[in-house]
């Protein structure tokens, strides 16, 4: 049925047109209704497979489905025909979850994208398709709901009930009276003339068409690229989380698993890939006499719609067999010929074998294809049997040996292979428990890498890649829990769940769980969980139940509560605790971590506590696990004496997801130990002390002086990852770019240069004498830029000299590449210490390169000039000439971010703000205000800045800018107080 009229009666399309003709006064209103919400009889596109004349004519006319149109800002606008909820009767189409009336059992899906090598698409491409879905009816209904968006439905029929035992032969057909779309909730609704019978099976037969766009990276999408000197195109899919409905009508929820028979019709010069191995091929001729290849694939296991995958491409591959199953890495032909896919091929098979052995569950499919796309916004996707990657995170080129790319590829490949068990084999029941797949896949990527790289410092790497970032972002009141109790999400809300908390906090939860149990117990519980829920779905409580079973079967590990109670205290609330130990009394307490803690903040409620596992060290010896399951508790064994050798550190290896604070004596003892013998504290705990102390001081838990005291020993520190943590916390971006910090700069320079000698000499020698030695030092590769950049910023003569040497060698002989980890710094100081001659060389390099990453790197380097006239010329080029007009790097913003550039950019905007707004958009002007005003500390400065920009902004923008500037001012005032205390401390200690 169609949408209701205002009187509550249902009006058909024909009646509506008749009334429109008879009642001229209502012509305009009814025309609008008809255009937006009326039925539109459709003529199937020529060559649509499976649509004979009699079939098409027997179907009811279908209401028009919204179609994809260009994105804002890309010369196309998104125009969607909607069916607002207030124009239709209340019903199940208003809900965000499918009703339980139908359960999908099997899909026969055929897709025919019209991709041809001799006619590459100009932005968009037609595809047609048909799907037969076998469903089981669980409740009588005459309204069928499926997910469908951005397709035109050409035919809809319902066959059945199917006769059991006769190969699903039908005994009849259920007439379809109407098909319409609830676009806001993304449903296709089939109105039947009679209800389906509970317990019976039916087959829904649907034919559809749609468009594929290059700009979209959801559903089906195009990549246009260059290979072997030719312009080519490929088609691929990304259906997670809810984009299968963009490609074909389906039951697009993770718990509604089914099997799939997939057929892809494609041009003979292309290869078609899907989840399963190719079953057969045949030839099809379209209405124009052109021949197409029809590739069919074997039946998939039971799986959710988001794991269905398709690729049509002109690629080559490399392959190997692992335990009888073929592994193929597909990529551009140039990349395969260059050997760029070899590294990924060599690590994929052993990774599968490691996880098979670990879980004692074989990989379920007969093959594994991995394909590298020239452009893939999701970076990597774990589709069962056909994993899709952006080539930047899969292909390894010879020039990448001095980057962290090798280990990055290893992590991402391991992550996606981990999903073959966590997510593919066992799928979360709903998106609120997405951490069950993403968190565990993130955790096991580290287990895989540690297994194959035993020399890699596992705790320090986990801290650097995972823990440091998520602890910096997570806090009480604002952030969300890992597992959400809400089960109804809009599509946009589901997409927002793919964040730092799902991945990194989820991985940290798994690591903490493994830490307070033991590895054998941890893996044993996961084996049981994976085996029980194979090809099915699970919730968080199912996972806890299997852990509890494993715990109950042994007597070594004793817990203070059930595993559910312990872990729910972590996964069902946001933030994390700060654990404070008074080493004089042994009293330990917990409180939530707040940004900028306020002394009179309301006390915790009874639900705001965590059950905290405390692994700890005393005087270098690991102690027995204890639990803080209350707000405070006394641990007499943690008291320390007056002895210089007595000290305590909580959170062994940082496996617990919390920060640690101590009383003054506790911090003093640790500081004394660092100054006396820093190596007595493991590297991970030197990292921990620095990171916890600076975070706690920044947020008012301890004084800044307490954190600074921990840096006194640094002259003896030879671990670059520890130095990286110090410099990230101490030499912040605001400190570097703020001209008002001239008072602290000379003090900090004197203090740090005195301590930098050891670590600088180690790595400057390596860079000069044997830079290739760095290729297997992952922590150095991720830490060197900060060390090198800080040393040069502090004016270390050897750093400036080395930068000049490397820059000059590269300019004179470009084959002498600057070592990648420090390339940004060397380029920047090459420009800062040079003249317009060096700047012009970089401009010429920028003009001649086609690599986007290199263009961005060079643009940032060119903004490092100290000459105002050069920066002014740079900005003039950016808004008026090629090559900058084709690049999305906002040159004005990066110039404004520098110390000199802030004033140059402000003056430049006086005469050029309209051109800047046209080139980069109005939001760029707002960003520039924030960049130029980043050092403001008074209301008068805010007023002056607003007056300066007043004619550039609309009224609503002025209001939001004023609020933001007030926030910047308040933050700067707070930092100013902190800086004053730092300066006072530095004066006393230099």
């Amino acid at each position: 049925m169609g949408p209701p009229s205002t009187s509550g009666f249902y009006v058909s399309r024909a009646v509506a047109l008749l009334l429109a003709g008879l009642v001229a006064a209502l012509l305009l209103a009814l025309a609008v209704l008809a255009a937006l919400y009326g039925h539109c009889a459709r003529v199937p596109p020529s060559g649509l497979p499976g649509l004979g004349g009699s079939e098409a004519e027997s179907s009811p006319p279908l209401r028009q489905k919204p179609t994809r149109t260009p994105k804002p800002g890309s010369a196309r606008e998104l125009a969607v025909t909607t069916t607002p909820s207030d124009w239709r009767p209340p019903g199940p189409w208003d809900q965000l979850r499918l009703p339980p009336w139908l359960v999908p059992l099997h899909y026969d899906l055929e897709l025919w994208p019209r991709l041809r090598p001799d006619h590459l698409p100009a932005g968009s491409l037609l595809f047609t398709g048909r799907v037969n879905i076998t469903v089981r009816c669980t409740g009588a209904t005459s309204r069928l709901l499926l997910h469908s968006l951005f397709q035109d439905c050409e035919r809809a029929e319902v066959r059945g009930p199917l006769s059991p035992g006769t190969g699903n032969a039908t005994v009849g057909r259920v007439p379809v009276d109407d098909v319409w779309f609830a676009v806001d909730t993304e449903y296709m609704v089939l109105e039947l003339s009679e209800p389906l019978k509970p317990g019976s099976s039916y087959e829904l037969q649907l034919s559809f068409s749609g468009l594929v766009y290059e700009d979209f990276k959801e559903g089906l999408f195009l990549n246009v690229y260059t290979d072997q000197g030719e312009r080519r195109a490929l088609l691929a899919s990304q259906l997670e989380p809810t984009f299968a409905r963009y490609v074909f009508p389906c039951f697009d929820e993770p718990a509604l698993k089914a099997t799939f028979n997939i057929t892809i019709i494609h041009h003979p010069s292309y290869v078609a890939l899907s989840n399963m191995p190719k079953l057969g091929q045949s030839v099809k001729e379209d209405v124009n006499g052109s021949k197409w290849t029809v590739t069919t694939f074997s039946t998939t296991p039971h799986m959710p719609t988001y794991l269905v995958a398709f690729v049509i491409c002109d690629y080559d591959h490399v392959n190997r067999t692992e335990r009888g199953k073929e592994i193929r890495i597909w990529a551009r032909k140039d990349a395969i010929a260059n050997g760029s896919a070899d590294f990924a091929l060599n690590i994929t098979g052993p990774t599968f074998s490691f996880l098979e052995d670990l879980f004692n569950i074989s990989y379920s499919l007969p093959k594994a294809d991995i394909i590298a796309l020239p452009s893939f916004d999701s970076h990597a996707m774990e589709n069962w049997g056909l994993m899709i990657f952006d080539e930047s995170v899969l292909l390894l080129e010879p020039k990448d040996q001095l980057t962290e790319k090798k280990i990055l590829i290893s992590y991402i490949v391991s992550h996606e292979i981990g999903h073959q068990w966590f997510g593919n084999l066992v799928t979360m029941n709903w998106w609120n428990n997405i951490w069950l797949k993403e968190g565990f896949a993130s955790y096991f990527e580290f287990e895989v890498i540690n297994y194959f790289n035993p020399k890699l410092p596992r705790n320090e790497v986990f801290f650097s890649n995972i823990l440091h970032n998520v602890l910096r972002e997570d806090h009480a009141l604002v952030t969300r829990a890992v597992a959400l109790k809400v089960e109804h999400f809009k599509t946009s809300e589901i997409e927002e769940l793919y964040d730092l908390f799902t991945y990194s906090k989820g991985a940290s939860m798994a690591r903490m769980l493994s830490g307070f149990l033991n590895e054998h117990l941890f893996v044993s519980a996961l084996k049981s969980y994976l085996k029980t829920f194979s090809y099915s779905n699970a919730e968080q409580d199912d996972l806890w139940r299997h852990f509890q079973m494993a715990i109950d079967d042994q007597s070594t590990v004793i817990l203070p509560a059930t595993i559910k109670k312990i872990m729910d205290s972590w996964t069902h609330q946001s933030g994390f605790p700060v654990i404070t130990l008074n080493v004089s009394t042994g009293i330990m307490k917990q409180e939530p971590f707040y940004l900028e803690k306020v002394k009179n903040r309301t006390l915790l409620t009874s639900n705001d506590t965590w059950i905290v596992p405390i692994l700890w060290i005393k005087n270098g010896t690991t102690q027995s696990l204890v639990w803080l399951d209350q707000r405070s508790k006394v641990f007499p064994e943690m008291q320390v004496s007056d002895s210089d050798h007595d000290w305590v550190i909580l959170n062994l290896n940082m496996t617990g997801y919390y920060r640690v604070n101590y009383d003054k004596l506790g911090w003093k003892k640790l500081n004394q130990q660092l100054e006396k013998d820093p190596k007595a504290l493991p590297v991970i705990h030197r990292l921990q002390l620095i990171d916890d102390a600076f975070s706690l001081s920044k947020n008012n838990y301890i004084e800044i002086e307490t954190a600074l005291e921990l840096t006194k020993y640094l002259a003896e520190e030879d671990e670059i990852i520890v130095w990286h943590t110090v410099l990230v916390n101490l030499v912040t971006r605001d400190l570097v770019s703020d001209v008002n910090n001239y008072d602290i700069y000379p003090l900090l320079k004197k203090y740090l240069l005195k301590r930098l000698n050891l670590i600088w000499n180690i790595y400057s020698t390596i860079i000069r004498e044997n830079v290739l030695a760095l290729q297997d030092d992952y922590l150095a590769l991720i830490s060197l830029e900060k060390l090198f950049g800080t040393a040069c910023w502090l004016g270390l003569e050897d750093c400036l000299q080395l930068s000049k040497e490397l820059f000059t060698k590269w300019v004179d002989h470009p084959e002498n590449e600057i070592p990648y980890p420090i390339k940004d710094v060397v380029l920047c100081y090459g420009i800062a210490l040079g003249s317009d001659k060096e700047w012009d060389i970089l401009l010429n390099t920028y003009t001649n390169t086609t690599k986007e990453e290199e263009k961005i790197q060079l643009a940032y380097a060119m903004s490092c000039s100290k000459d105002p006239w050069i920066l002014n010329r740079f900005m003039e080029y950016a808004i008026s000439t090629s090559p900058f007009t084709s690049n999305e790097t906002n040159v004005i913003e990066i110039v404004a971010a520098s110390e000199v550039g802030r004033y140059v950019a402000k003056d430049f905007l006086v005469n050029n703000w309209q051109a800047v707004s046209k080139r980069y958009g109005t939001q760029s002007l707002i960003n520039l205000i924030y960049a130029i005003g980043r050092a403001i500390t008074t209301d008068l400065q805010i007023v002056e800045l607003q007056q300066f920009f007043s004619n550039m902004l609309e009224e609503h923008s002025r209001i939001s800018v004023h609020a933001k500037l007030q926030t910047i001012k308040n933050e700067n005032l707070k930092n100013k107080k902190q800086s004053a205390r730092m300066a006072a401390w530095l004066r006393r200690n230099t």
Side-chain angles (χ1 to χ4, degrees):
M1 292 184 180
S5 69
T6 53
S7 66
F9 292 97
Y10 293 94
V11 182
S12 70
R13 168 69 167 166
V15 174
L17 292 176
L18 178 60
L19 289 175
L22 295 175
V23 186
L26 294 178
L27 180 61
L28 180 60
L30 288 176
V32 171
L33 288 174
L36 291 177
Y37 311 114
H39 299 298
C40 288
R42 289 230 172 242
V43 178
S46 61
L48 181 66
L51 280 186
S54 60
E55 277 190 329
E57 291 166 7
S58 66
S59 303
L62 304 181
R63 183 168 311 169
Q64 183 172 351
K65 180 64 177 164
T67 56
R68 286 173 139 185
T69 52
K71 290 181 177 179
S74 63
R76 303 175 316 185
E77 294 295 333
L78 188 62
V80 176
T81 305
T82 61
T83 309
S85 57
D86 58 347
W87 284 30
R88 63 179 183 239
W93 39 79
D94 298 319
Q95 304 303 312
L96 298 176
R97 297 286 297 272
L98 283 164
W101 307 327
L102 299 179
V103 177
L105 304 175
H106 179 74
Y107 292 77
D108 279 309
L109 173 63
E110 178 183 279
L111 290 179
W112 187 357
R114 303 309 201 274
L115 181 65
R116 306 172 60 101
D118 56 347
H119 186 69
L120 295 184
S124 66
L125 178 80
L126 172 72
F127 77 93
T128 56
R130 58 183 178 182
V131 62
N132 296 339
I133 311 174
T134 304
V135 299
R136 184 176 67 252
C137 178
T138 60
T141 179
S142 57
R143 286 170 170 166
L144 311 186
L145 271 67
L146 300 85
H147 286 110
S148 179
L149 194 64
F150 301 129
Q151 300 142 33
D152 291 323
C153 186
E154 311 294 347
R155 180 177 67 95
E157 293 191 9
V158 177
R159 305 280 186 175
L162 305 180
S163 301
T166 60
N168 280 348
T170 59
V171 296
R173 188 181 74 175
V174 181
V176 179
D177 290 342
D178 192 12
V179 178
W180 58 279
F181 297 91
V183 177
D184 51 336
T185 45
E186 304 180 356
Y187 291 132
M188 168 193 287
V189 182
L190 278 65
E191 303 274 6
L192 308 183
S193 63
E194 61 188 60
L196 303 186
K197 299 175 182 178
S200 296
S201 294
Y202 296 83
E203 186 175 75
L204 315 183
Q205 299 183 349
L206 304 164
S207 296
F208 53 91
S209 63
L211 293 176
V212 185
Y213 290 109
E214 184 178 354
D215 289 0
F216 286 92
K217 293 298 187 287
E218 299 154 352
L220 291 178
F221 61 90
L222 292 166
N223 268 193
V224 178
Y225 62 98
T226 300
D227 192 14
Q228 297 181 320
E230 296 179 358
R231 188 169 175 269
R232 298 179 182 176
L234 62 79
L235 180 143
S237 64
Q238 169 60 20
L239 306 191
E240 186 181 8
T242 57
F243 306 133
R245 64 193 68 175
Y246 291 15
V247 182
F248 59 98
C250 58
F251 298 86
D252 201 10
E253 294 186 359
L256 297 178
K257 291 188 171 185
T259 54
F260 292 78
N261 280 353
I262 293 170
T263 299
I264 299 176
I265 303 175
H266 57 95
H267 191 274
S269 65
Y270 290 121
V271 62
L273 303 173
S274 189
N275 304 81
M276 297 299 288
K278 179 176 66 178
L279 186 63
Q281 284 188 327
S282 59
V283 177
K284 179 184 182 69
E285 195 171 291
D286 65 18
V287 292
N288 299 315
S290 299
K291 287 183 167 50
W292 297 79
T293 299
V294 181
T295 301
T296 58
F297 298 90
S298 300
T299 306
T300 70
H302 278 85
M303 65 183 197
T305 48
Y306 80 81
L307 290 177
V308 174
F310 328 92
V311 173
I312 299 174
C313 63
D314 181 14
Y315 266 16
D316 274 348
H317 69 273
V318 289
N319 67 296
R320 64 179 283 177
T321 300
E322 184 81 11
R323 296 183 176 178
K325 297 183 179 182
E326 186 177 29
I327 295 169
R328 299 183 295 186
I329 311 292
W330 297 81
R332 291 176 293 105
K333 294 180 178 181
D334 281 342
I336 294 295
N338 293 338
S340 299
D342 294 349
F343 177 72
L345 180 68
N346 291 335
I347 64 173
T348 297
T351 300
F352 270 109
S353 295
F354 170 76
L355 291 173
E356 284 184 333
D357 293 340
L358 184 66
F359 301 130
N360 196 28
I361 299 174
S362 296
Y363 172 61
S364 305
L365 273 61
K367 61 94 175 177
D369 282 318
I370 298 179
I371 188 165
L373 304 189
S375 175
F376 185 45
D377 288 354
S378 297
H379 299 301
M381 176 61 202
E382 69 266 20
N383 308 304
W384 222 350
L386 178 53
M387 290 173 269
I388 297 178
F389 285 67
D390 188 286
E391 64 178 32
S392 66
V393 293
L394 187 70
L395 304 182
L396 187 72
E397 299 179 30
K399 69 178 181 64
D400 295 326
Q401 59 184 343
L402 271 183
T403 73
E404 64 271 27
K405 194 168 182 180
K406 181 185 289 188
I407 201 76
L408 173 67
I409 291 171
S410 300
Y411 279 125
I412 296 178
V413 168
S414 299
H415 181 98
E416 303 309 326
I417 294 176
H419 274 311
Q420 309 308 300
W421 286 265
F422 294 97
N424 298 8
L425 185 65
V426 179
T427 310
M428 68 280 155
N429 200 51
W430 183 244
W431 301 107
N432 60 327
N433 278 316
I434 189 176
W435 86 274
L436 292 180
K437 79 180 186 77
E438 296 299 349
F440 278 90
S442 297
Y443 172 76
F444 277 106
E445 71 186 59
F446 287 89
E447 293 301 295
V448 170
I449 302 307
N450 290 332
Y451 177 80
F452 291 111
N453 301 271
K455 293 182 179 179
L456 201 65
R458 59 190 299 164
N459 295 316
E460 291 80 2
V461 170
F462 191 90
F463 169 84
S464 301
N465 286 16
I466 298 289
L467 203 53
H468 170 74
N469 295 324
V470 70
L471 286 176
R472 186 176 56 188
E473 298 297 327
D474 199 7
H475 52 90
L477 299 181
V478 178
T479 57
R480 68 170 182 85
V482 170
L484 301 174
K485 295 180 180 179
V486 179
E487 293 193 4
H488 295 82
F489 298 105
K490 296 178 181 177
T491 296
S492 59
E493 293 170 329
I494 293 172
E495 291 181 72
E496 290 171 2
L497 297 178
Y498 290 80
D499 62 8
L500 188 69
F501 303 106
T502 290
Y503 288 80
S504 295
K505 189 171 182 178
S508 300
M509 294 297 99
R511 183 169 177 259
M512 182 169 65
L513 185 57
S514 175
F516 71 72
L517 296 176
N518 57 59
E519 186 174 358
H520 172 75
L521 198 57
F522 179 74
V523 172
S524 176
L526 289 177
K527 285 180 181 178
S528 174
Y529 165 77
L530 290 171
K531 183 176 180 180
T532 300
F533 294 99
S534 290
Y535 307 104
S536 186
N537 297 79
E539 298 181 345
Q540 178 174 277
D541 281 354
D542 296 318
L543 179 67
W544 300 154
R545 190 157 43 249
H546 282 266
F547 270 98
Q548 193 63 52
M549 289 162 53
I551 292 164
D552 293 343
D553 283 344
Q554 53 84 58
S555 57
T556 304
V557 176
I558 307 297
L559 302 180
T562 64
I563 200 73
K564 172 178 167 55
K565 187 173 182 181
I566 293 170
M567 293 307 298
D568 279 358
S569 76
W570 295 91
T571 61
H572 281 316
Q573 63 178 325
S574 62
F576 60 87
V578 174
I579 307 301
T580 301
L581 174 65
N582 186 314
V583 299
S584 300
T585 63
I587 295 174
M588 188 189 300
K589 67 175 184 178
Q590 62 167 292
E591 59 183 316
F593 176 79
Y594 294 105
L595 289 183
E596 300 183 27
K597 178 188 176 186
V598 179
K599 288 183 179 179
N600 61 354
R601 188 181 294 278
T602 304
L603 292 175
L604 299 178
T605 66
S606 58
N607 294 327
D608 287 331
T609 57
W610 291 261
I611 302 178
V612 188
I614 308 290
L615 288 160
W616 58 296
I617 308 172
K618 188 169 187 178
N619 306 331
T621 304
T622 301
Q623 306 294 311
S624 299
L625 170 69
V626 298
W627 290 87
L628 180 61
D629 51 1
Q630 306 166 22
R631 291 186 192 172
S632 67
K633 203 170 182 177
V634 180
F635 296 94
E637 65 271 31
M638 294 187 184
Q639 292 175 275
V640 300
S641 66
D642 292 333
S643 167
D644 291 343
H645 304 285
D646 222 6
W647 51 271
V648 169
I649 288 182
L650 304 186
N651 200 8
L652 176 65
N653 294 327
M654 295 191 77
T655 56
Y657 187 73
Y658 50 86
R659 291 199 184 275
V660 181
N661 188 14
Y662 303 92
D663 64 341
K664 289 184 178 180
L665 179 60
W667 286 114
K668 180 181 177 182
K669 291 282 188 179
L670 291 167
N671 187 48
Q672 288 174 343
Q673 184 60 46
L674 283 172
E675 292 195 53
K676 183 175 62 178
D677 181 15
K679 299 289 185 179
L681 276 62
V683 176
I684 185 63
H685 290 297
R686 305 204 296 274
L687 276 176
Q688 176 199 13
L689 290 174
I690 296 292
D691 201 57
D692 281 355
F694 275 98
S695 177
L696 293 171
S697 67
K698 181 181 179 181
N699 292 288
N700 305 327
Y701 286 84
I702 61 174
E703 307 295 339
I704 182 62
E705 293 83 356
T706 302
L708 290 170
E709 287 288 331
L710 295 172
T711 66
K712 285 183 174 180
Y713 86 98
L714 284 172
E716 305 299 319
E717 182 58 75
D718 59 0
E719 293 288 345
I720 193 169
I721 189 62
V722 178
W723 266 104
H724 182 262
T725 304
V726 170
L727 297 178
V728 163
N729 282 288
L730 195 56
V731 185
T732 62
R733 182 177 177 181
D734 289 340
L735 181 68
V736 171
S737 64
D738 188 357
V739 295
N740 294 324
N741 278 317
Y742 283 139
D743 57 335
I744 201 173
Y745 175 79
L747 297 169
L748 195 61
K749 175 178 179 177
K750 185 176 180 180
Y751 181 79
L752 285 178
L753 287 183
K754 183 179 177 181
R755 289 162 172 80
L756 268 170
N757 284 334
L758 175 61
I759 195 70
W760 173 258
N761 288 337
I762 291 172
Y763 284 96
S764 61
T765 301
I766 292 174
I767 290 170
R768 284 187 167 105
E769 296 180 2
N770 184 23
V771 71
L772 290 179
L774 294 173
Q775 62 183 324
D776 294 320
D777 189 348
Y778 175 70
L779 294 180
L781 291 174
I782 65 174
S783 304
L784 259 176
E785 182 179 356
K786 185 64 176 178
L787 175 68
F788 206 88
T790 302
C792 285
W793 177 70
L794 292 171
L796 182 63
E797 187 60 37
D798 191 46
C799 182
L800 298 174
Q801 183 60 36
L802 181 53
S803 291
K804 188 175 181 180
E805 289 173 13
L806 294 170
F807 185 84
T808 303
K809 285 181 181 178
W810 173 71
V811 167
D812 293 343
H813 302 284
E815 66 274 12
N816 292 327
E817 291 200 10
I818 301 168
Y820 183 86
I822 57 172
K823 187 172 182 178
D824 287 349
V825 179
V826 170
L827 289 175
C828 184
Y829 279 92
I831 294 298
L833 300 173
S835 64
D836 58 324
K837 175 186 174 183
E838 286 77 15
W839 197 93
D840 288 340
I841 290 170
L842 254 63
L843 176 62
N844 184 59
T845 306
Y846 182 101
T847 304
N848 292 323
T849 186
T850 59
K851 297 178 180 178
E852 188 67 18
E853 181 183 359
E854 188 175 6
K855 280 185 176 289
I856 294 171
Q857 191 174 50
L858 292 167
Y860 273 91
M862 286 187 280
S863 74
C864 294
S865 174
K866 302 295 185 183
D867 293 326
W869 74 271
I870 291 179
L871 294 176
N872 201 70
R873 184 180 69 171
F874 188 19
M875 291 186 288
E876 288 177 352
Y877 284 168
I879 62 173
S880 61
T881 64
S882 179
F884 295 102
T885 51
S886 63
N887 183 269
E888 291 310 308
T889 303
N890 192 318
V891 169
I892 318 300
E893 286 185 23
I894 63 174
V895 168
S898 70
E899 183 180 321
V900 175
R902 177 174 16 164
Y903 302 102
V904 180
K906 183 178 178 181
D907 292 341
F908 182 81
L909 281 173
V910 172
N911 299 315
N912 299 281
W913 68 269
Q914 289 177 316
V916 171
S917 180
K918 181 179 179 181
R919 170 70 178 87
Y920 295 114
T922 305
Q923 182 59 43
S924 173
L925 293 176
I926 296 173
N927 293 341
L928 284 166
I929 295 174
Y930 301 154
I932 292 168
R934 64 181 177 271
I936 57 175
T937 55
T938 68
D939 289 332
L940 179 61
Q941 289 172 318
I942 293 178
V943 171
E944 290 175 348
L945 203 58
Q946 284 189 300
Q947 288 176 344
F948 178 79
F949 282 99
S950 61
N951 65 325
M952 306 181 193
L953 300 175
E954 300 291 339
E955 180 61 29
H956 70 279
S957 296
R958 293 186 200 130
I959 295 171
S960 62
V961 164
H962 180 79
K964 175 68 174 180
L965 290 175
Q966 284 288 347
T967 301
I968 292 173
K969 181 199 78 172
N970 293 335
E971 185 70 18
N972 287 340
L973 287 173
K974 187 192 80 169
N975 292 339
K976 191 174 181 180
K977 292 179 182 178
Q978 191 90 317
S979 294
R981 293 182 65 169
M982 285 178 62
W985 186 91
L986 288 167
R987 287 189 190 96
R988 295 193 300 270
N989 289 277
T990 53

